[in-house]
C-alpha cells in the first residue's frame, strides 16, 4: 500500500513540476514588488533540485520592469516559461506564487528563494506541502 501511494505521489509530483514549468506566460506581466526590494535576486538563474524521483532543473528570470519585479519560471523541454506576477518579500526570502494545472487538477505552486552566498537556496512547493523539493539556484551563464 505504501509503495503504491509513493508511486502515485511520484507521478503526481512529476506532473505538477512539468505543468508548473510548462505553461506559457506573458512576457509583460509584472508584480507589485518594488525592484529595490529584490536587487539581490534579479537576473537569470538555473534552479537544480533533487527529488525523491530524481533530479529536476528549471530556469528562473527575475527582471526590473518599470521599477517592479517581473518574473518567469520554466524549462524549455516542458514548453517554455510561465510568467509569475505574485512576487513578495518576507524577511530575506523572495516568494513567487502561481497557480498551475495538470490533468484537470488545479493547484497552487510556491517558490521560495533565500540568498546563500552567490547562489539562492530554493524551496519548491506544490499543493501547500503535498509535494516539495529543495535545491539551489545559480546564475545562468551569459
Amino acid at each position: 500500500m505504501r509503495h503504491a501511494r509513493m508511486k502515485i505521489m511520484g507521478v503526481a509530483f512529476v506532473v505538477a513540476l512539468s505543468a508548473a514549468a510548462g505553461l506559457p506566460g506573458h512576457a509583460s506581466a509584472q508584480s507589485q514588488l518594488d525592484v529595490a526590494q529584490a536587487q539581490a535576486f534579479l537576473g537569470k538563474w538555473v534552479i537544480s533540485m533533487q527529488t525523491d524521483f530524481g533530479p529536476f532543473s528549471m530556469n528562473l528570470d527575475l527582471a526590473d520592469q518599470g521599477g517592479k519585479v517581473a518574473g518567469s519560471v520554466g524549462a524549455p523541454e516542458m514548453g517554455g516559461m510561465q510568467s509569475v506576477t505574485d512576487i513578495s518579500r518576507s524577511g530575506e526570502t523572495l516568494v513567487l506564487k502561481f497557480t498551475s494545472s495538470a490533468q484537470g487538477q488545479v493547484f497552487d505552486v510556491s517558490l521560495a528563494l533565500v540568498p546563500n552566498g552567490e547562489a539562492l537556496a530554493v524551496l519548491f512547493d506544490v499543493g501547500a506541502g503535498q509535494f516539495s523539493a529543495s535545491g539551489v539556484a545559480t546564475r545562468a551563464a551569459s
Side-chain angles (χ1 to χ4, degrees), residues 63-87:
D64 179 345
Q65 189 172 60
K68 302 293 182 183
V69 178
S72 59
V73 62
E77 64 274 7
M78 294 181 185
M81 302 292 278
Q82 175 182 349
S83 292
V84 179
T85 59
D86 185 349
I87 303 173

Side-chain angles (χ1 to χ4, degrees), residues 50-130:
Q50 190 60 255
T51 73
D52 291 340
F53 313 104
F56 185 78
S57 294
M58 297 172 57
N59 296 317
L60 171 66
D61 187 4
L62 297 169
D64 179 345
Q65 189 172 60
K68 302 293 182 183
V69 178
S72 59
V73 62
E77 64 274 7
M78 294 181 185
M81 302 292 278
Q82 175 182 349
S83 292
V84 179
T85 59
D86 185 349
I87 303 173
S88 61
R89 182 88 187 251
S90 177
E92 293 297 311
T93 304
L94 190 72
V95 180
L96 290 74
K97 294 181 181 178
F98 52 101
T99 302
S100 192
S101 63
Q103 298 181 343
Q105 299 293 317
V106 177
F107 47 88
D108 294 325
V109 179
S110 174
L111 188 61
L113 310 167
V114 179
N116 186 10
E118 294 295 314
L120 301 173
V122 175
L123 178 59
F124 187 86
D125 180 79
V126 178
Q130 290 182 348

